[in-house]
Amino acid sequence: QVQLVESGGGLVQAGGSLRLSCATSGRTFGYTLGWFRQAPGKEREFVSAISWRGANAYSADSVKGRFTISRDNAKSAVWLQMNALKPEDTAVYYCAAAPRPWTAAPSDFKYWGQGTQVTVSS
């Protein structure tokens, strides 16, 4: 069973930066790793994902140019560097793993972390 644990969330002013980390355990060979977020009263939404070798990374239009995803399989970890944060980025951020072909739908990601809160003040 794959387990994922996020860290790095917190409170930051608009325009600031945070770096989220996700440590994985168990077998994740070949898995795509990604980040989702969910704000109060809203659907859980796709943020970014990265392929096994890191050659392909995908981000939602809402975060392109501001967020960068990366991974290091030797460390079994994935990160989300978030820059130029906006109040609308406030949400619980979840690390997730997809063991097979996926879309941006949360249901395509089989394993999930517990979430880490990101709050951006104006």
Side-chain angles (χ1 to χ4, degrees):
Q1 180 87 340
V2 172
Q3 293 182 299
L4 305 94
V5 180
E6 305 96 334
S7 62
L11 175 64
V12 65
Q13 290 187 342
S17 298
L18 285 173
R19 190 184 192 222
L20 305 183
S21 298
C22 176
T24 71
S25 62
R27 180 190 177 278
T28 58
F29 182 87
Y31 286 24
T32 290
L33 298 177
W35 293 90
F36 289 75
R37 67 187 182 186
Q38 188 165 21
K42 295 186 177 181
E43 301 287 333
R44 186 169 297 191
E45 68 171 339
F46 172 77
V47 175
S48 190
I50 187 167
S51 62
W52 168 248
R53 294 189 179 277
N56 297 308
Y58 311 89
S59 295
D61 288 343
S62 59
V63 305
K64 283 182 179 177
R66 300 188 299 119
F67 292 9
T68 302
I69 191 170
S70 60
R71 70 189 293 172
D72 185 340
N73 293 334
K75 297 181 182 295
S76 299
V78 61
W79 299 270
L80 185 69
Q81 178 67 46
M82 306 186 295
N83 298 325
L85 283 161
K86 305 174 181 180
E88 50 262 46
D89 294 319
T90 295
V92 176
Y93 283 71
Y94 298 89
C95 180
R100 60 186 212 176
W102 60 276
T103 69
S107 60
D108 287 341
F109 286 74
K110 184 175 182 179
Y111 303 102
W112 294 83
Q114 82 287 353
T116 185
Q117 177 70 47
V118 172
T119 303
V120 184
S121 62
S122 60

